[in-house]
Amino acid sequence: MNRDAPIGIFDSGIGGLSVYKKIRELLPLESVMYVADQIHLPYGSKDLDMVFNYAKAITEFLLSKGCKLIVIACNTACAAALHPLRRVYPSTDFVGMEPAVKPAALRTRTGAVGILATEGTFKGEPYNGVIKRFAQGVKVYEQPCHGLAEAIENGIDDSELHKMLEGFISPLKLKNIDQLALACTHYPLVFDHICKIAGNAIEVIDPAEAIARRVLSLLSDSELLATSPYEGVFYTTAATSTPVSEIVRKYFDSINRCAWSGEQCLEML
């Protein structure tokens, strides 16, 4: 395997860029291929078998481009596809999103934590697995955030976003939580809004940094850390009413536009 081959990252939309950003910060030389499956957004409300088929098709595309490791930067896609994809492609390293239940359970002082996620994430094996392993003796309050990922994807107005988030977070605050884990990669894009509504008494946890550290560990152990300057390409499966580049800039002022060598529409699904 070529150590300068790209890392593949995919999500149902631009949410996985919250993971891309952390990987970019920790591994500045790594090239990245990012796929936003916007034609099938949202994943969270879809049947998990259907999401697996989307994830498998994207994986095949990324592997055909020579990716050395694949990050499933979507909690719902991980729920549907992480373990099956590892079985189908045993020679490929996959890094998946794991809801930040463990750090929330370890840090809580009140014994109560909240989880913001899609319906699909709450149904999946990865989520239920971490609950069984790490949340014994802790009260875990689940809050499905119907429509939030799509609203973020479409660049929702700040005032409307605030109302939507209040509707999801306020019931959790009444449960005396002191930790709030974000279990959808779209949600960190509005991290500051979430923190403001949650208040100073609640710590908001974004798992993206842990994912970046896992990527670093796997590439280091395999002696596949890149040595050449960074290159990146962004793919989308659908033309959107608002150009992807504009939406990306709304949430990622710090991302250098020159980091992306192209924006292409895939006809693969």
Side-chain angles (χ1 to χ4, degrees):
M1 175 67 73
N2 178 5
R3 65 171 55 237
D4 291 324
I7 296 169
I9 304 176
F10 73 88
D11 180 32
S12 61
I14 65 169
L17 289 173
S18 61
V19 177
Y20 155 82
K21 184 178 181 182
K22 293 297 182 181
I23 291 174
R24 183 81 176 93
E25 291 170 356
L26 191 61
L27 296 160
L29 292 181
E30 296 293 337
S31 295
V32 172
M33 284 190 173
Y34 185 98
V35 175
D37 188 17
Q38 293 174 303
I39 198 170
H40 296 122
L41 180 79
Y43 279 0
S45 58
K46 288 184 168 60
D47 180 82
L48 292 184
D49 288 338
M50 185 180 297
V51 175
F52 167 74
N53 290 331
Y54 301 152
K56 186 173 184 291
I58 295 170
T59 295
E60 290 174 351
F61 170 79
L62 290 171
L63 291 177
S64 75
K65 296 294 186 181
C67 289
K68 61 185 177 182
L69 177 147
I70 293 179
V71 179
I72 306 177
C74 172
N75 291 79
T76 303
C78 287
L82 178 59
H83 297 309
L85 287 175
R86 283 173 172 166
R87 290 192 292 267
V88 174
Y89 306 100
S91 62
T92 300
D93 281 328
F94 289 89
V95 177
M97 303 300 300
E98 185 174 87
V101 173
K102 181 180 179 179
L106 290 173
R107 297 174 193 175
T108 183
R109 302 173 305 280
T110 65
V113 304
I115 312 291
L116 299 182
T118 66
E119 296 93 328
T121 294
F122 286 130
K123 296 176 184 176
E125 181 181 344
Y127 174 77
N128 290 291
V130 295
I131 290 292
K132 291 177 182 177
R133 294 199 306 274
F134 304 121
Q136 300 303 312
V138 175
K139 293 180 179 178
V140 178
Y141 295 99
E142 301 172 354
Q143 178 59 63
C145 300
H146 181 71
L148 181 56
E150 303 96 292
I152 294 170
E153 187 84 17
N154 293 322
I156 185 174
D157 175 82
D158 283 352
S159 61
E160 291 300 315
L161 173 65
H162 189 86
K163 291 178 184 177
M164 180 176 277
L165 289 173
E166 274 196 328
F168 297 137
I169 297 172
S170 293
L172 296 176
K173 294 172 71 174
L174 296 176
K175 301 295 186 180
N176 197 34
I177 68 166
D178 64 351
Q179 304 291 317
L180 182 60
L182 307 183
C184 173
T185 54
H186 278 80
Y187 303 166
L189 303 187
V190 293
F191 188 84
D192 291 344
H193 291 273
I194 292 172
C195 290
K196 183 176 181 179
I197 295 170
N200 294 332
I202 297 175
E203 180 182 3
V204 182
I205 304 174
D206 173 10
E209 187 172 342
I211 299 303
R213 290 196 300 269
R214 178 60 177 160
V215 171
L216 171 61
S217 176
L218 285 172
L219 293 180
S220 179
D221 290 347
S222 302
E223 298 184 349
L224 287 175
L225 289 171
T227 57
S228 65
Y230 169 86
E231 292 181 356
V233 59
F234 184 100
Y235 296 97
T236 178
T237 58
T240 56
S241 57
T242 303
V244 172
S245 56
E246 290 183 18
I247 300 174
V248 169
R249 285 195 292 272
K250 175 179 173 65
Y251 297 114
F252 293 96
D253 292 337
S254 62
I255 289 182
N256 184 346
R257 298 180 199 179
C258 296
W260 305 103
S261 63
E263 183 177 300
Q264 303 178 28
C265 183
L266 306 178
E267 295 180 357
M268 62 182 186
L269 298 176

